[in-house]
């Protein structure tokens, strides 16, 4: 009964809304939420959908930064989110490792200015496909709206934290 799916989107998460989803994970997310002890998962439809989750991992694109690529890692009762580095799209192509260029470009979104920025999280758990819609709907609710995306695209890095405040405490 172990199943998996990948949730992949090409729009940044609003950090404050993502924090609400993290609180529903069946894991200790307190470090990612600045030490705040979250409620026990499972009390909502999303919590129930996530209750049989055993592993999740992947890339995060947060609206609080144009440059930072984050890594989401959850296994059992452990959750960690940390700065992975920069998105390749933020670096001049001459700084890319020559042997990795085809792989790097494969992660790009065509001619989009967003390049390789994305949400790409794999979820693994018992009977998970029946719960995929609930999980993805919750994550989609964390994505920037069209108006927020326009503000994101028009802002410089200094303005992004004010535009998209966060209670997330992701390790650098």
């Amino acid at each position: 009964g172990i199943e998996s799916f990948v949730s992949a989107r090409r729009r940044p998460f609003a950090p404050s809304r993502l924090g609400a989803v993290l609180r529903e994970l069946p894991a200790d997310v307190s470090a990612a939420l600045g030490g705040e002890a979250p409620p026990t998962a499972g009390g909502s439809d999303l919590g129930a959908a996530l209750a049989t989750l055993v592993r999740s991992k992947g890339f995060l694109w947060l609206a609080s930064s144009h440059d930072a690529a984050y890594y989401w890692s959850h296994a059992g009762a452990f959750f960690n989110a940390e700065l992975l580095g920069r998105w390749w799209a933020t670096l001049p192509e001459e700084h890319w490792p020559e042997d990795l260029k085809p792989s790097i470009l494969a992660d790009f979104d065509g001619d989009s200015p967003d390049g390789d920025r994305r949400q790409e999280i794999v979820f693994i758990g018992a009977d998970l496909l029946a719960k995929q819609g609930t999980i993805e709907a919750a994550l989609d609710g964390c994505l920037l709206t069209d108006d927020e995306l326009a503000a994101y695209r028009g802002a410089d890095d200094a303005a992004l934290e004010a535009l998209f405040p966060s209670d997330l405490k992701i390790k650098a």
Side-chain angles (χ1 to χ4, degrees), residues 41-53:
S44 67
D45 288 344
L46 176 59
L50 293 170
T52 61
L53 191 65

Side-chain angles (χ1 to χ4, degrees), residues 6 12 15 37 42 71 93 160 169:
V6 176
Y71 186 71
E93 193 170 335
L160 288 176
K169 306 298 180 211

Side-chain angles (χ1 to χ4, degrees), residues 116-169:
D116 59 332
R117 295 176 186 93
R118 66 196 184 279
Q119 316 300 344
E120 189 173 307
I121 306 165
V122 62
F123 293 90
I124 304 164
D127 301 316
L128 205 56
L129 295 180
K131 303 162 189 162
Q132 180 177 353
T134 300
I135 295 168
E136 287 195 315
L139 291 172
D140 287 349
C142 299
L143 297 172
L144 296 189
T145 64
D146 289 344
D147 289 342
E148 290 170 327
L149 186 60
Y152 169 86
R153 294 196 190 290
D156 61 19
D157 278 330
L160 288 176
E161 287 190 38
L163 280 172
F164 303 103
S166 174
D167 57 353
L168 298 179
K169 306 298 180 211

Side-chain angles (χ1 to χ4, degrees), residues 13-129:
F13 282 137
S16 59
R17 294 195 294 270
L18 182 60
V21 169
L22 292 178
R23 286 177 182 85
E24 297 291 333
L25 278 174
D28 180 3
V29 297
S30 58
L33 297 172
E36 172 190 336
T40 304
S44 67
D45 288 344
L46 176 59
L50 293 170
T52 61
L53 191 65
V54 294
R55 178 90 167 103
S56 58
K57 63 181 182 172
F59 302 105
L60 295 175
W61 173 18
L62 299 178
S64 51
S65 173
H66 289 303
D67 298 336
Y70 297 98
Y71 186 71
W72 160 312
S73 178
H74 156 248
F78 172 81
F79 176 83
N80 187 41
E82 62 187 12
L83 178 65
L84 183 63
R86 292 178 64 158
W87 296 107
W88 287 109
T90 68
L91 300 171
E93 193 170 335
E94 61 266 15
H95 293 292
W96 300 356
E98 195 62 40
D99 60 328
L100 295 180
K101 282 186 180 182
S103 173
I104 291 168
L105 289 170
D107 287 332
F108 273 55
D109 186 20
D111 292 330
S112 167
D114 299 325
D116 59 332
R117 295 176 186 93
R118 66 196 184 279
Q119 316 300 344
E120 189 173 307
I121 306 165
V122 62
F123 293 90
I124 304 164
D127 301 316
L128 205 56
L129 295 180

